[in-house]
Amino acid sequence: ETGVTQTPRHLVMGMTNKKSLKCEQHLGHNAMYWYKQSAKKPLELMFVYSLEERVENNSVPSRFSPECPNSSHLFLHLHTLQPEDSALYLCASSQGTERNTEAFFGQGTRLTVV
Amino acid sequence: DAKTTQPPSMDCAEGRAANLPCNHSTISGNEYVYWYRQIHSQGPQYIIHGLKNNETNEMASLIITEDRKSSTLILPHATLRDTAVYYCIAFLPRAGNMLTFGGGTRLMVKP
């Protein structure tokens, strides 16, 4: 248990569906992140939020829409996804300052687009 | 962040020390060396980090060369549960900055 909780753990959705992934942390961190891990590929950073503001968007398609309503919660809204979007989606949080600290990852949501 | 180079895979016998190397020849003076591991289909787990000095915690030891161009993660008594992909990352901790993962080393601990 890392203190970062992701729900759901598994999700199967059709290409026309709309769904949301949720991430929650109560570690007092002020930065949160979404990563994508496709089969046999390195983790890819998707979005970075620092103090609830998006500070990085790594050319992610608009069918992925992040939302950070407060420093403890992060969402990833999904709509009209493609089968190639099937992957493990990981949320992480960190202190997000210049202090030397590690990031904590959730267990991920295994997404399958059919 | 500086690029790191790791062997794609390694084997280790259970109970023996696992020594995982990492090259980071372009690391800058204020970048730290971080190690994470990822057990199959789980989120990455922080192991250890260091800047110049060797570091040790309950999980592992980190040996950084004097010129900081390479480092070695040591798992002193590897168990089957240590089978995972191990990532070495040169990272500058600052607001808005985040870890960039490469391919890592797939460590297989064998009985």
Side-chain angles (χ1 to χ4, degrees):
Chain A
E1 180 59 49
T2 64
V4 179
T5 304
Q6 290 187 242
T7 55
R9 292 294 306 277
H10 300 273
L11 177 63
V12 179
M13 60 185 289
M15 288 188 285
T16 59
N17 291 158
K18 288 184 180 181
K19 296 287 185 183
S20 295
L21 310 185
K22 179 181 177 181
C23 178
E24 186 172 355
Q25 60 91 9
H26 296 288
L27 301 169
H29 291 167
N30 56 21
M32 297 186 77
Y33 316 84
W34 280 115
Y35 281 85
K36 173 185 177 183
Q37 189 171 35
S38 303
K40 299 184 179 180
K41 287 186 177 180
L43 282 83
E44 303 169 56
L45 181 62
M46 299 175 73
F47 300 105
V48 179
Y49 274 83
S50 179
L51 298 173
E52 301 158 37
E53 290 189 11
R54 191 189 310 179
V55 295
E56 186 161 340
N57 175 349
N58 280 355
S59 302
V60 180
S62 60
R63 56 186 184 269
F64 296 92
S65 175
E67 178 190 3
C68 188
N70 55 61
S71 60
S72 298
H73 295 87
L74 184 66
F75 295 90
L76 188 62
H77 303 299
L78 316 170
H79 64 98
T80 60
L81 294 193
Q82 305 298 313
E84 59 264 30
D85 296 321
S86 298
L88 180 68
Y89 289 85
L90 290 157
C91 171
S93 72
S94 72
Q95 190 61 33
T97 67
E98 294 182 6
R99 290 192 309 162
N100 190 6
T101 184
E102 67 265 29
F104 292 84
F105 284 80
Q107 293 291 68
T109 295
R110 174 71 61 187
L111 174 67
T112 303
V113 181
V114 297
Chain B
D1 295 337
K3 177 180 170 58
T4 61
T5 305
Q6 300 176 253
S9 64
M10 289 181 63
D11 289 345
C12 178
E14 187 179 18
R16 304 297 293 269
N19 298 301
L20 293 94
C22 179
N23 286 324
H24 32 79
S25 58
T26 61
I27 195 169
S28 64
N30 52 0
E31 284 182 310
Y32 288 74
V33 179
Y34 277 72
W35 283 84
Y36 280 75
R37 73 180 183 184
Q38 187 176 22
I39 296 170
H40 181 63
S41 293
Q42 296 183 22
Q45 176 191 23
Y46 166 82
I47 301 174
I48 199 168
H49 72 275
L51 182 63
K52 296 179 182 179
N53 300 322
N54 298 336
E55 302 287 345
T56 295
N57 62 21
E58 64 278 5
M59 290 182 68
S61 295
L62 173 61
I63 308 298
I64 302 174
T65 58
E66 191 169 344
D67 63 8
R68 301 210 328 121
K69 292 186 177 181
S70 66
S71 60
T72 301
L73 179 75
I74 302 172
L75 308 179
H77 305 286
T79 70
L80 299 179
R81 293 170 62 180
D82 292 322
T83 293
V85 178
Y86 287 77
Y87 299 98
C88 168
I89 303 166
F91 175 66
L92 178 62
R94 67 176 182 211
N97 206 9
M98 191 46 183
L99 301 160
T100 301
F101 290 81
T105 295
R106 183 171 297 278
L107 175 68
M108 180 73 72
V109 180
K110 298 183 175 180

